[in-house]
């Protein structure tokens, strides 16, 4: 199951900025495996991989103090990553052509939630790897996901 965290202090130029960080298991659920494979279809830049916003994005919502992050992806990039979009019945609230492949929730302190910045950060790692280990590893590049196109 995907793990969701919110952390600040990970950007030296803006230590107060908080980011949602999703950790997906490459051997986990079908959605986690699909997210891990999408990393191979991102473009590289500045120590991270970026999924083009027209291919997929991160949708966020808050309910009763819990942050939910869902990853929405269009069918074409999913097929290119070797995943059948028909395996994912849930659709994006922003674009019904996009499917939701992963969703995770976590409780977030309101003060930290108020400082949430873009993008959503996604790491691929097994359940035995901690977030602190991922953040300390300069060779582990995350996938960066922008907000939905309509929120740009």
């Amino acid at each position: 199951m995907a793990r969701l965290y919110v952390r600040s202090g990970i950007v030296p130029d803006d230590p107060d900025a908080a980011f949602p960080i999703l950790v997906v298991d490459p051997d986990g659920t079908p959605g986690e495996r699909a997210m891990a494979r999408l990393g191979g279809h991102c473009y590289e830049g500045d120590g991270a991989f970026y999924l083009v916003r027209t291919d997929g994005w991160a949708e966020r919502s808050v309910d009763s103090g819990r942050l939910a992050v869902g990853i929405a992806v269009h069918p074409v990039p999913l097929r290119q990553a070797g995943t059948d979009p028909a395996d994912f019945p849930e659709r994006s609230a922003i674009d019904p052509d996009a499917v939701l492949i992963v969703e995770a929730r976590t409780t977030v302190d309101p003060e930290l939630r108020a400082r949430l910045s873009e993008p959503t950060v996604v790491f691929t790692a097994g359940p035995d790897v901690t977030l602190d280990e991922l953040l300390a590893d300069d060779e582990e590049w995350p996938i960066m996901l922008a907000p939905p196109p309509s929120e740009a």
Side-chain angles (χ1 to χ4, degrees), residues 107-144:
T107 301
V108 180
D109 177 85
E111 183 180 312
L112 191 59
R113 190 175 64 240
R115 298 192 323 255
L116 276 178
S117 297
E118 301 301 341
T120 296
V121 180
V122 180
F123 282 102
T124 301
D128 56 327
V129 180
T130 68
L131 178 60
D132 289 333
E133 291 171 324
L134 290 168
L135 292 173
D137 186 350
D138 290 338
E139 294 183 21
E140 189 65 40
W141 285 18
I143 298 170
M144 309 299 261

Side-chain angles (χ1 to χ4, degrees), residues 11-140:
V11 176
D13 295 343
D14 191 2
D16 289 334
F19 296 88
I21 302 171
L22 187 65
V23 180
V24 297
D25 184 348
D27 298 318
T29 66
E32 289 178 279
R33 293 191 309 267
M35 186 67 234
R37 284 192 300 271
L38 280 170
H41 298 274
C42 295
Y43 66 91
E44 294 181 32
D46 199 24
F49 298 106
Y50 295 87
L51 186 63
V52 177
R53 187 183 299 209
T54 55
D55 288 349
W57 56 85
E59 297 180 2
R60 300 180 189 172
S61 63
V62 177
D63 184 27
S64 301
R66 291 182 54 85
L67 174 68
V69 173
I71 307 301
V73 182
H74 279 286
V76 171
L78 276 178
R79 284 189 199 99
Q80 290 173 340
T83 301
D84 185 353
D87 292 342
F88 302 97
E90 289 190 60
R91 297 288 181 246
S92 163
I94 304 298
D95 181 348
D97 289 335
V99 297
L100 288 176
I101 61 170
V102 176
E103 186 175 50
R105 299 174 189 280
T106 191
T107 301
V108 180
D109 177 85
E111 183 180 312
L112 191 59
R113 190 175 64 240
R115 298 192 323 255
L116 276 178
S117 297
E118 301 301 341
T120 296
V121 180
V122 180
F123 282 102
T124 301
D128 56 327
V129 180
T130 68
L131 178 60
D132 289 333
E133 291 171 324
L134 290 168
L135 292 173
D137 186 350
D138 290 338
E139 294 183 21
E140 189 65 40

